[in-house]
Amino acid sequence: MATKAADTNRTDATQTDDERAPEEPTQTAEATRTEAGEAEATEPAEATEPAEATETAGGGRASGVGQGAGAVVSAALGLVSLSGGWIGTVAGARQQLVGQLRTSSSAGVAQQIKAVYGDAWHATALWAGLFALAALVTGVAVLARPAFGTPGRPQAPWIRSVAWAGAALGVLGLLLAVLKYSDALLALPSTS
């Protein structure tokens, strides 16, 4: 037995680093697990930012697409209000036709001009005003939306710019529509 104990002691003393290597990785693995646990404790705060960005892009949270679309629609409606648009042109032509049908040939010149051209002008102004009002309301709604949304979430600068443009075009279109409808701008010619 003394020989066996001596062999065991000699084996322990003569072990090289390679022979002891299997014991060290387990200690290293435990240290790695402990370090990984500490890293996991600090990573969740950092890991939530990419997850939020993924949710934003994936549709879990609002990504501003609706606000951007609203701003573009507001600007488009403002442009339509200034140009008259197809609906305004059709409404004006229809009103002109109605005026021609309802006015007798024995009516005075002033009455014929008002019925044929004046009412058509007012119909066009009315439709332009409706488009301008829609542009203004849509632009203001897009600009006011961040106040009712997620706190601390800024609106993209291009959305604000386009919404301001839509609201400004809406105000300008509404002003022009009121001036046209009230005959303050391009009134009908006098017949006397």
Side-chain angles (χ1 to χ4, degrees), residues 38-180:
E38 292 172 3
E40 287 176 5
T42 59
E43 284 183 27
E46 297 170 359
T48 57
E49 292 173 0
E52 289 176 5
T54 305
E55 285 180 355
T56 301
R61 293 186 182 186
S63 61
V65 172
Q67 293 178 28
V72 170
V73 166
S74 173
L77 288 171
L79 287 174
V80 168
S81 75
L82 292 178
S83 67
W86 179 76
I87 293 176
T89 304
V90 170
R94 181 185 181 281
Q95 195 60 39
Q96 187 176 11
L97 180 62
V98 168
Q100 288 173 351
L101 293 174
R102 289 193 179 163
T103 306
S104 67
S105 59
S106 63
V109 175
Q111 187 181 4
Q112 287 180 357
I113 289 175
K114 182 188 176 311
V116 174
Y117 300 108
D119 291 345
W121 182 249
H122 290 157
T124 304
L126 180 66
W127 279 100
L130 290 174
F131 278 111
L133 186 62
L136 179 62
V137 168
T138 306
V140 168
V142 169
L143 290 170
R145 174 64 177 103
F148 302 105
T150 306
R153 188 139 190 253
Q155 194 174 41
W158 73 269
I159 293 174
R160 283 194 310 268
S161 299
V162 175
W164 273 112
L169 288 171
V171 167
L172 183 62
L174 198 57
L175 177 67
L176 288 173
V178 167
L179 290 174
K180 286 191 306 188

